[in-house]
Amino acid sequence: MKFLIAFFSLLVCIFSFPCFAQTWRTEDILLNEEIQDWLIDDLNRDGRKDLLIIAGNFVCLFFQRESGFLRSSDQRIYYNLIGDIIDVGEVDPSSIGLELLGLSERGVKCFKNNGFHYMECSEYLVSQKVDIPEYKVEPLISDFAFDINSDGLDEIFLLRENKIEIYHRDNSGLFVSVPLEGSKKSTGASLRSRKIPSGSKKNPFFVFQPSILEEDSVFFQDFNEDGRLDHLSKTLRLQEAGFSFRPVNYSIRGEEAVAGPEEANFYLDIDGDGSLDLVLLQAKGMFKENINIFPFAKIFIYRRQKDGNFAQKPDFFQKTILISDHSPFVDVDRDDDLDFISIWSEITPGSKKDIIQALLESTLSFTFRCYLFDKKKGYSAMPDIQLQAKIKQHVSQMAWENPFDFSGDFDGNGSNDLLIKKEPDSYYLYLFDQKKKNHIISVKRLPIPVGCRSHQVVDLDENGKSDILLFMDKKIRLLSF
């Protein structure tokens, strides 16, 4: 679908649009202990997403049926029996669905699904001492098993003696290791804020400390479109047979295209042609250049040329503030290219009084802009969708939960819809249709239950309509059409 070139501004009041004709179906899932982490995947490969929840001292499994989920778990496993870090993966094609994997200092343990519940395997998949990156008082979920050579089986990635090793099955069925060399600096941002009592309960003192962070990371992407994931680090390494990685040199010309301090290169298929394009992110701290109070990013996009290299100058330039870890690139109109989401805070340190008032009242004004990608013209100079929103949320919370979520299609019409958490007790859902003149079909206020800590948008039964999962201390609420 093509976007409208004309620029328009959407200042939307909730009462200006009709409410949903559909009604929401609500379903609650109960747990005995506090929820710590979760994973959503089709564990038994029946076409419906299942839930793996870490709650208290247990890993709780919920299998989705045609009628939905049971209110209590189908199976609970004491997490110490599994490991410190938990994942699911396809490591044994003879078993049903995905295997449950547990990583500890002793190696990797495996639980297999026998058609009714998971049973522990007698031997470790990998029986070697491995490094646990951080000391954790609680178990966590991390994707340490995934398929990088398109053979249908997942490889396992472990840290041993501060080096990453890839474990894969050999012809005998045993897991053997291949060392992986090289890593790259990944740049991110965090929003830290502390409230300090000042002697008066009505006037606490806020310390707001946005910061830029760098850490070593390893990236895997199919750079040359051969079905194998390549190793993108300081040097591009193409994967060849036998899990070997051959260094190659793809030309990246131009001063801006070379990542420096507080910068990072990423590769995304921006234009939907099947080839990865270069994205350079320059992270800027608070009070930089435009004296914005939030960390923000300058983003340079270099499209891949026919010879495999990148242009001397960027094809596109975008900016957005950095909130949580959500990508600003989303296929909003679902036409296989990537649209750009820009979020900008209207507060600047021009007036100290305005800043103090905004921080004390935890109300910040944002402008949300969406630039749809056109395969002939690229991104337009003016946004295709724009609206302003006042968010009543403390800045420290925004480091963990982006109040803007444009990832779901709730009515199944092929256009992503915008979910905004404007208040601690309310989401506002904007239904979009790219064929409409003003894009917005309707707006609905969704109450947030007391104690809700976060949400996740996912199409649980894969019917083309997104659902919302609301996570509370000991309960999950499912909202769906």
Side-chain angles (χ1 to χ4, degrees), residues 217 227 234 241 355 468 474 478:
S217 300
K234 296 177 181 178
I355 294 175
I468 304 175
K474 296 183 181 181
L478 166 64

Side-chain angles (χ1 to χ4, degrees), residues 70-115:
L70 298 179
R71 286 177 63 86
S72 58
S73 61
D74 294 275
Q75 184 180 0
R76 295 202 313 166
I77 306 174
Y78 189 55
Y79 81 80
N80 269 352
L81 295 177
I82 304 175
D84 301 305
I85 302 176
I86 295 170
D87 192 13
V88 296
E90 184 69 79
V91 296
D92 186 351
S94 65
S95 65
I96 299 173
L98 299 178
E99 289 74 61
L100 177 59
L101 307 175
L103 172 62
S104 65
E105 291 184 352
R106 296 179 59 186
V108 179
K109 190 178 289 188
C110 178
F111 286 66
K112 295 183 181 179
N113 191 336
N114 63 4

Side-chain angles (χ1 to χ4, degrees), residues 130-367:
V130 298
D131 300 337
I132 302 298
E134 298 180 25
Y135 175 76
K136 298 293 183 183
V137 296
E138 301 172 340
L140 58 85
I141 293 173
S142 177
D143 193 3
F144 61 85
F146 50 93
D147 184 7
I148 67 168
N149 63 345
S150 298
D151 65 350
L153 293 178
D154 290 336
E155 285 70 50
I156 296 175
F157 291 77
L158 302 180
L159 192 65
R160 296 188 66 231
E161 298 178 352
N162 292 322
K163 294 183 179 179
I164 297 175
E165 295 190 359
I166 306 173
Y167 286 79
H168 67 95
R169 286 191 184 273
D170 62 8
N171 294 331
S172 66
L174 298 176
F175 274 90
V176 296
S177 67
V178 175
L180 184 67
E181 300 294 335
S183 63
K184 66 180 292 185
K185 292 289 185 182
S186 175
T187 304
S190 69
L191 301 177
R192 295 182 298 169
S193 179
R194 291 182 297 155
K195 183 172 69 174
I196 301 174
S198 61
S200 172
K201 294 182 179 179
K202 295 182 179 180
N203 297 300
F205 176 72
F206 286 88
V207 177
F208 181 39
Q209 296 175 300
S211 61
I212 305 298
L213 303 177
E214 285 191 355
E215 57 185 7
D216 289 329
S217 300
V218 175
F219 294 88
F220 289 96
Q221 289 179 280
D222 186 2
F223 189 83
N224 57 350
E225 304 141 43
D226 64 351
R228 298 188 181 104
L229 297 186
D230 306 302
H231 180 200
L232 280 63
S233 61
K234 296 177 181 178
T235 302
L236 172 63
R237 294 175 171 87
L238 299 180
Q239 184 184 170
E240 298 182 333
F243 298 96
S244 62
F245 293 86
R246 176 174 57 87
V248 296
N249 181 28
Y250 275 84
S251 174
I252 301 175
R253 299 186 294 270
E255 295 181 359
E256 291 174 333
V258 181
E262 297 185 353
E263 299 179 351
N265 288 337
F266 299 93
Y267 297 91
L268 298 171
D269 185 4
I270 297 294
D271 51 15
D273 66 350
S275 298
L276 294 177
D277 305 302
L278 171 65
V279 178
L280 171 65
L281 182 149
Q282 292 182 346
K284 301 293 183 180
M286 65 183 296
F287 308 142
K288 292 293 182 68
E289 295 186 12
N290 69 335
I291 60 175
N292 195 277
I293 196 170
F294 285 94
F296 69 97
K298 288 184 173 182
I299 298 174
F300 303 87
I301 301 171
Y302 300 78
R303 296 171 73 175
R304 188 101 160 262
Q305 299 177 334
K306 292 182 179 180
D307 62 0
N309 295 318
F310 300 97
Q312 184 175 1
K313 295 182 179 180
D315 296 280
F316 308 106
F317 168 72
Q318 303 285 3
K319 288 197 303 183
T320 184
I321 65 172
L322 297 167
I323 300 179
S324 74
D325 57 355
H326 284 211
S327 171
F329 293 97
V330 180
D331 187 4
V332 173
D333 49 8
R334 306 203 173 192
D335 60 353
D336 297 328
D337 53 41
L338 292 179
D339 311 304
F340 185 81
I341 304 300
S342 176
I343 302 171
W344 208 255
S345 168
E346 299 304 316
I347 183 173
T348 62
S351 169
K352 294 182 180 180
K353 180 179 178 181
D354 291 342
I355 294 175
I356 294 173
Q357 182 177 356
L359 293 179
L360 290 176
E361 295 179 357
S362 297
T363 300
L364 299 172
S365 178
F366 293 89
T367 299

